[in-house]
Amino acid sequence: MDRRQFLTWVGVGTLASSLPVVLAACNPQKDTETASTPSPDNPEIDKSVRPDGFQAIGTVEELEQDGKIFDRASGAQPILVVRNPETNTITALNPTCTHAACTVELDAANQVLACPCHGSKFALDGKVLAKPAPEPLPVFETKQEENLVLVKVS
């Protein structure tokens, strides 16, 4: 066997042995275990997705105490739940700024969601109040059942 043939076989062998690892890494499997486990913040909350597509994100007490519920683990995108004190409505939205993909923060004193990266501001319903954000924040359907705040994640 000459040198060229040897190096060809080594290259093919390396490629063939790494192919299963690459395929496994690219497989878009959902982690069903985390979707059905209780919340680490509140172990009695079952965060599994219900048949109607809603998922418990937290409790009304958590929302009242902290002014917000921030959940990174529910679904493919983070969820921020806030209550508008003027209308008493609960809104769940994706807190990723539509300008530079930074996570917005609740400014409770001014009742706005502020982006720390470039100064965009959003109303509590996700509408743009101050640019450079080009679009409003995506909003999820919400409802309250007993003490739970439910968000439609699918």
Side-chain angles (χ1 to χ4, degrees), residues 96-102 115 117-118 120 122 132-135:
T96 306
C97 180
T98 57
H99 171 246
C102 297
C115 179
C117 295
H118 296 105
S120 293
F122 301 88
E135 297 177 20

Side-chain angles (χ1 to χ4, degrees), residues 26-87:
C26 294
N27 190 1
Q29 292 181 351
K30 286 183 98 176
D31 188 5
T32 55
E33 187 174 329
T34 57
S36 62
T37 57
S39 165
D41 298 331
N42 199 343
E44 67 268 9
I45 296 177
D46 179 15
K47 289 197 155 195
S48 61
V49 178
R50 299 173 182 195
D52 62 359
F54 281 91
Q55 178 177 0
I57 299 299
T59 63
V60 175
E61 283 86 19
E62 288 177 82
L63 182 59
E64 298 301 324
Q65 179 181 358
D66 300 334
K68 66 181 179 187
I69 299 172
F70 185 65
D71 189 281
R72 288 186 189 268
S74 297
Q77 51 194 328
I79 299 171
L80 176 65
V81 179
V82 293
R83 182 185 298 271
N84 186 330
E86 295 174 6
T87 61

Side-chain angles (χ1 to χ4, degrees), residues 87-137:
T87 61
N88 205 30
T89 57
I90 296 174
T91 305
L93 38 85
N94 182 333
T96 306
C97 180
T98 57
H99 171 246
C102 297
T103 302
V104 299
E105 299 169 353
L106 175 64
D107 179 355
N110 296 316
Q111 295 301 311
V112 297
L113 301 168
C115 179
C117 295
H118 296 105
S120 293
K121 293 195 184 316
F122 301 88
L124 295 180
D125 62 0
K127 293 178 184 162
V128 177
L129 297 175
K131 295 191 179 232
E135 297 177 20
L137 298 172

